[in-house]
Amino acid sequence: MKIALTIAGSDSGAGAGIQADLKTFHQFGVYGTSVIVAITAQNTRGVRAVHAVPEAMVAEQLAALAEDLPPAALKSGMLATPALVRQVAEAIRERRWAPYVLDPVMAASSGDRLLTPEAERVVRDELVPLAALVTPNLDEAALLTGMPVESPDAMERAGRRLLDLGAAAALVKGGHLESAELEDILVTPGFVRRFRHSRVATTSTHGTGCTLSAAVTAGLALGRDLEAAVADALDYVHRALLAAPGLGGGHGPLGHHVPARD
């Protein structure tokens, strides 16, 4: 049994964050562990409150896993503050945990910024160079690279810029493009692959990015190569969107219960 670790925030509505990651890990047949860096009070309608976990407690969680349950692969999601970003980066470097998937949770689907400019800089400078894969949406890609990202060609350019910043690979997500077909672009030093899926007409999209990065992490923990792990993850998310249970009065959760590809 392979171990996959998620370092992220807790979502009381269980559609995103730690809860979505652990559900996804389970479906892929890996043992999920977690380090919680923030507690949120939220549902499908929005976030009511956020409480950052004290750094000392985050350190204890990281140490507990390092000594007994080290991961075969790991990911990070929302990290809340510049200090927590630095702390997570230091832990990954010191323990040489890899492969590491960075979901740079910096901008909401609405485009609202979720981190301070200082925290955004720390993500770019400290976490991007550690990443086997970074998975930004269009707004996050623009914040990380300093360039507008409004077309598939711009997505590819942003992916190449993320490689220049130190990432081993980048998956730039095109879900916010206004197009009938969904396009996500994987950029690596050796190749570029464009993944296309039909767009699912649903409001149950909460946690899509968390689920995708968790699925890639699970695939890497299982020893799959990056391209296969990304392809399997995108396929899982697409089917989870189709199977969304329609819960809540806002942006509901995905159907995490769908099986992962064998």
Side-chain angles (χ1 to χ4, degrees), residues 11-17 19-21 23 205-208 210-211 252-254 256:
D11 173 5
S12 56
Q19 289 82 353
D21 293 343
K23 292 174 189 177
T205 56
H206 183 55
T208 305
C210 303
T211 301
L254 310 186
H256 289 100

Side-chain angles (χ1 to χ4, degrees), residues 10-41:
S10 170
D11 173 5
S12 56
I18 291 287
Q19 289 82 353
D21 293 343
L22 293 178
K23 292 174 189 177
T24 302
F25 289 163
H26 178 80
Q27 292 305 98
F28 275 78
V30 299
Y31 183 80
T33 59
S34 63
V35 170
I36 299 175
V37 300
I39 302 168
T40 69

Side-chain angles (χ1 to χ4, degrees), residues 94-128:
E94 288 186 353
R95 295 178 170 95
R96 299 181 180 179
W97 281 343
Y100 163 55
V101 176
L102 167 60
D103 182 9
V105 182
M106 303 163 71
S109 297
S110 62
D112 294 334
R113 293 168 79 153
L114 302 175
L115 295 180
T116 65
E118 180 188 359
E120 293 170 358
R121 287 193 297 272
V122 179
V123 169
R124 182 191 63 221
D125 297 342
E126 300 273 351
L127 290 179
V128 169

